[in-house]
Amino acid sequence: VCSHRIRSCSSIRFIKSKYVCMFDKSALKFSHQQRLFRTSAVSCGQIVQFKLSDIGEGITEVTVKEWYIKEGDSVSQFDSICEVQSDKASVTITSRYDGIIRKLHYNLDEIAYVGKPLVDIEIDASKGVAPEEDVVETPPMSHEEHTHQEIKGHKTLATPAVRRLAMENNIKLSEVVGTGKDNRILKEDILNYLAKQTGAILPPSPKAEIIPPLPKSETVPAAPKDKARKIPVPAARPIVFSGKDKTETVTGFQKAMVKTMSAALKIPHFGYCDEIDLTQLVQLREELKPVAQIRGVKLSFMPFFIKAASLGLLQYPILNASLDESCQNVTYKASHNIGVAMDTEQGLIVPNVKNVQVCSLFEIASELNRLQSLGSAGQLGTNDLTGGTFTLSNIGTIGGTYAKPVILPPEVAIGALGKIQVLPRFNGKGEVFKAQIMNVSWSADHRIIDGATMARFSNLWKSYLENPALMLLDLK
């Protein structure tokens, strides 16, 4: 018999006749267990189809944006296979197997469907991996099954990569405190736990630590001088005129915008506008920018706008709420997850800074830097793009003054910030002075928010920004 493998199996498979020289069927009878004869004239490997598993949030299809492997490459468990983009976020898909890539089922920018094969991987059958039939017929693992583990009566949330890191360092997940959403254990939590046990020096986590000021002997970079106002110049792009209409499929973030804005049309909007004198805030930021730069953080005006909004939401929680579809119940959100609209090459995205109510200005600035870097690279995750409770859109970075922002369901309010302009204003003595003026445009859900509430919130937010020292009284 020209046979390479004898494996235990729940059913009998007969060997193809072309591989049999002499064989007696009685040899298939075993007293205790049945055997599967797997044969191959060329390779002893086994091909499994690695399906695209459920990545949560009700996503059923994604666009393949980048392959990290090609046919013939060797991969190990948890190695990155590709990056896919849904209508909500970009997700990196990792391998479940050790083996060799034999087939890629999709080209770049093609639509891949959850539950369908993504790649074919040739694995070593001698390592006891489930047969191909078992892999293909098994339904995709749900998000809850993929990230939960029952430990001592409670569930611990962690990704497979984090679990592997914990296992390699003999760390029990039940002993680690998770800092992610819903107490999810992140890679940084494992590294920090390991550092406490061993005293090892680890690379800094995404949230920058507070660094003490440099000694006087060391030079501190001076605050940059005011630069002459630059005239925006349109980017020179080659123009190709074909004379033909072109039709493209709505995908990715653009598809999410269609869905979200269609739902937003059901909300009765009302607007409220005002102007803010940021003269004192401009001076304060110039003083703090060098300090933030030493700590490795770029300090913009946005952290001040976000923190002032959070302080206002503490006084007017109705603006940090959501209304159910039947308009019968209002849910007041405990966390202030304030979204920031960003213009990227992929389109408009709105990641949010989590738990602003317990964050310092420096922590907010650090998190904004992280979100902006990931947004520019198109690598924002689902956690960064979901769970928002209130939104600010800074149109002033492009040059707008006023806007009519559209509410992002299930939120009930949004603000659009215009550009900061140097304009003449009068003080209490009737004297003209140079002021740094910014306009703000608010939109609110008129079903549960009235104009007076929106105006009072705006006035409170305005007072914090016009007199930044007032924020010290309420900061926690």
Side-chain angles (χ1 to χ4, degrees):
V1 180
C2 180
S3 176
H4 291 177
R5 289 275 185 272
I6 298 180
R7 287 180 54 100
S8 175
C9 188
S10 59
S11 62
I12 298 178
R13 298 287 179 91
F14 291 99
I15 307 173
K16 293 183 179 179
S17 59
K18 66 178 180 179
Y19 296 123
V20 179
C21 300
M22 296 177 60
F23 194 77
D24 184 2
K25 289 185 179 180
S26 62
L28 286 175
K29 297 179 181 179
F30 294 88
S31 58
H32 298 292
Q33 60 182 350
Q34 296 168 319
R35 300 283 181 176
L36 167 63
F37 288 72
R38 297 190 61 88
T39 66
S40 174
V42 179
S43 173
C44 62
Q46 177 185 2
I47 302 296
V48 296
Q49 290 185 324
F50 175 45
K51 291 184 176 182
L52 177 62
S53 298
D54 182 10
I55 56 180
E57 300 293 332
I59 296 171
T60 59
E61 62 181 45
V62 295
T63 302
V64 178
K65 302 303 294 183
E66 183 177 359
W67 286 106
Y68 298 122
I69 45 86
K70 61 182 181 296
E71 294 181 0
D73 286 354
S74 298
V75 295
S76 302
Q77 293 186 51
F78 309 109
D79 282 354
S80 297
I81 292 180
C82 65
E83 180 181 340
V84 298
Q85 185 181 82
S86 69
D87 58 355
K88 297 183 178 180
S90 295
V91 179
T92 299
I93 305 299
T94 58
S95 174
R96 291 174 54 193
Y97 309 104
D98 299 331
I100 301 174
I101 302 296
R102 290 305 180 194
K103 181 180 179 181
L104 307 181
H105 284 268
Y106 301 97
N107 296 320
L108 292 179
D109 295 324
E110 286 189 345
I111 302 297
Y113 298 91
V114 170
K116 299 296 183 181
L118 190 63
V119 295
D120 289 353
I121 304 179
E122 180 182 338
I123 61 175
D124 187 349
S126 64
K127 294 185 178 180
V129 181
E132 175 185 353
E133 289 79 4
D134 293 339
V135 175
V136 174
E137 295 176 0
T138 302
M141 185 180 297
S142 69
H143 183 67
E144 293 296 317
E145 293 172 342
H146 187 66
T147 58
H148 288 70
Q149 180 182 23
E150 196 76 23
I151 298 180
K152 294 183 180 180
H154 70 278
K155 289 182 178 179
T156 299
L157 282 70
T159 62
V162 172
R163 296 187 188 283
R164 183 184 185 185
L165 180 63
M167 180 180 64
E168 291 175 349
N169 291 278
N170 297 319
I171 297 175
K172 294 181 180 180
L173 292 178
S174 58
E175 298 176 354
V176 181
V177 178
T179 60
K181 182 181 180 181
D182 299 326
N183 297 321
R184 183 183 300 276
I185 297 177
L186 307 177
K187 178 181 177 182
E188 289 73 22
D189 300 328
I190 299 293
L191 296 177
N192 290 333
Y193 179 87
L194 188 63
K196 293 178 181 178
Q197 301 297 319
T198 62
I201 300 176
L202 301 175
S205 59
K207 285 191 175 181
E209 297 179 359
I210 297 178
I211 303 175
L214 293 175
K216 293 182 179 179
S217 58
E218 299 186 26
T219 59
V220 178
K225 298 180 180 180
D226 294 337
K227 297 181 180 179
R229 184 177 179 181
K230 295 182 180 180
I231 300 176
V233 179
R237 296 181 181 179
I239 299 175
V240 180
F241 182 74
S242 63
K244 297 180 180 179
D245 296 342
K246 183 175 67 172
T247 302
E248 294 182 349
T249 303
V250 178
T251 59
F253 294 136
Q254 190 177 24
K255 188 174 183 179
M257 186 186 299
V258 171
K259 187 186 304 181
T260 303
M261 292 300 99
S262 297
L265 287 177
K266 301 177 182 178
I267 300 174
H269 289 58
F270 82 88
Y272 178 85
C273 300
D274 200 358
E275 72 171 33
I276 320 294
D277 183 356
L278 299 181
T279 304
Q280 293 188 36
L281 181 61
V282 170
Q283 296 175 355
L284 176 62
R285 173 177 171 265
E286 286 300 319
E287 294 175 3
L288 297 180
K289 276 177 62 178
V291 180
Q293 187 176 355
I294 293 173
R295 299 180 181 181
V297 173
K298 180 181 179 181
L299 182 64
S300 64
F301 288 105
M302 204 63 191
F304 298 94
F305 300 153
I306 291 174
K307 189 61 182 181
S310 177
L311 294 175
L313 294 177
L314 292 174
Q315 300 295 325
Y316 299 96
I318 189 64
L319 297 174
N320 196 60
S322 64
L323 183 66
D324 64 4
E325 293 183 0
S326 62
C327 299
Q328 299 296 318
N329 300 292
V330 177
T331 301
Y332 294 85
K333 303 293 186 179
S335 298
H336 296 173
N337 299 338
I338 298 182
V340 181
M342 295 182 180
D343 179 40
T344 69
E345 294 183 357
Q346 292 78 29
L348 178 67
I349 55 176
V350 189
N352 57 83
V353 181
K354 299 288 192 297
N355 297 308
V356 176
Q357 76 280 2
V358 294
C359 291
S360 67
L361 284 167
F362 178 74
E363 289 172 335
I364 296 171
S366 177
E367 179 67 0
L368 277 177
N369 287 183
R370 184 186 73 86
L371 294 175
Q372 288 166 347
S373 298
L374 293 177
S376 300
Q379 296 178 349
L380 285 168
T382 304
N383 184 54
D384 296 322
L385 294 167
T386 57
T389 61
F390 186 88
T391 298
L392 292 175
S393 177
N394 190 6
I395 62 170
T397 56
I398 301 176
T401 306
Y402 293 95
K404 186 180 179 182
V406 180
I407 300 169
L408 299 176
E411 299 174 20
V412 295
I414 184 174
L417 313 174
K419 62 182 179 181
I420 300 176
Q421 306 177 86
V422 179
L423 298 173
R425 289 295 182 266
F426 291 94
N427 59 20
K429 299 180 181 179
E431 300 169 340
V432 178
F433 70 98
K434 183 175 68 175
Q436 302 277 353
I437 301 298
M438 181 189 74
N439 298 101
V440 60
S441 306
W442 301 103
S443 289
D445 188 338
H446 216 339
R447 293 174 297 182
I448 59 174
I449 300 173
D450 55 54
T453 300
M454 189 75 251
R456 292 188 180 99
F457 167 82
S458 181
N459 289 337
L460 179 59
W461 180 78
K462 175 179 178 178
S463 67
Y464 285 132
L465 298 178
E466 292 190 336
N467 304 281
L470 292 179
M471 284 197 285
L472 296 175
L473 298 176
D474 297 320
L475 288 176
K476 295 182 180 180

